[in-house]
Amino acid sequence: MTGGLETSLAELTRDGAASRVRAARQRIASHPRRRHAFISPDPTPADVAPPASGPLAGAVFSVKDNIDVAGVTTTCGSRVLEHASPARDDAAITASLRALGGTCVGKNNMHEFALGATGTNDRFGPMPNPWDISRHVGVSSGGSVIAVADGMVDIAVGTDSGGSVRMPASFGGIVGFNFLRDNGIKQY
């Protein structure tokens, strides 16, 4: 049996997801610290509907600027890579989040090449602590932390080999995970 209730629920889910993504894009565009959190804006045209199904339907996410998003240049927070060709494909994590129904709304500011502990970027601006702008958010995934702590996105993906997610997350009052590889042993 099709139509009726099933159709109504599908329409509500689709409309709800689109409404949440639209609201997130407006929040980001008008947020005073947007430039501290994002290097590259959402590459998706506003008239493209977000996925209406999946456990993350209506959720918005961003990724650190050393993670590929199809159609967007990955600068790794450096002016050296500013004019590089855009990524042809999504990184595995970006593709996985999209497959679950999430919508990518941009790429986050980071310490250049993820090398540094101050949360500053000479080209794309500082990453101040969301709770006290006289302090830094710390380490290289700072833009991701600002985006989540300030309510611009639901999920932000960073990278962490020495604390680049966990430390700024703790400074910003949010949770950051560093997942282990399949064998359970942290690889450096």
Side-chain angles (χ1 to χ4, degrees):
M1 183 174 187
T2 60
L5 182 60
E6 294 86 3
T7 302
S8 298
L9 289 174
E11 288 172 4
L12 284 173
T13 302
R14 183 186 66 242
D15 293 346
S19 177
R20 279 190 42 80
V21 171
R22 204 170 26 258
R25 287 178 172 149
Q26 290 170 349
R27 253 191 335 270
I28 293 166
S30 64
H31 199 284
R33 286 197 291 234
R34 175 183 55 87
R35 71 177 186 85
H36 300 294
F38 288 92
I39 287 178
S40 300
D42 177 7
T44 308
D47 60 345
V48 173
S53 63
L56 296 180
V60 294
F61 71 93
S62 56
V63 298
K64 186 174 176 179
D65 192 38
N66 61 352
I67 298 170
D68 283 346
V69 172
V72 181
T73 298
T74 298
T75 71
C76 295
S78 177
R79 68 180 67 228
V80 172
L81 298 176
E82 263 184 305
H83 303 291
S85 298
R88 288 183 310 179
D89 301 306
D90 283 337
I93 186 68
T94 308
S96 294
L97 290 170
R98 288 187 203 264
L100 291 170
T103 299
C104 184
V105 293
K107 297 184 77 173
N108 297 121
N109 197 359
M110 61 180 283
H111 204 287
E112 188 172 17
F113 294 113
L115 300 170
T118 61
T120 59
N121 183 306
D122 291 338
R123 172 63 181 99
F124 296 105
M127 292 166 271
N129 187 294
W131 300 102
D132 180 354
I133 61 170
S134 71
R135 300 173 186 268
H136 66 80
V137 76
V139 202
S140 68
S141 294
S144 299
V145 169
I146 293 168
V148 172
D150 281 353
M152 291 183 253
V153 298
D154 301 307
I155 301 165
V157 178
T159 58
D160 185 324
S161 58
S164 292
V165 167
R166 294 163 290 158
M167 285 190 281
S170 69
F171 295 169
I174 63 171
V175 176
F177 294 103
N178 181 5
F179 293 100
L180 298 175
R181 295 188 186 265
D182 291 342
N183 62 5
I185 299 171
K186 176 79 174 150
Q187 303 289 319
Y188 288 101

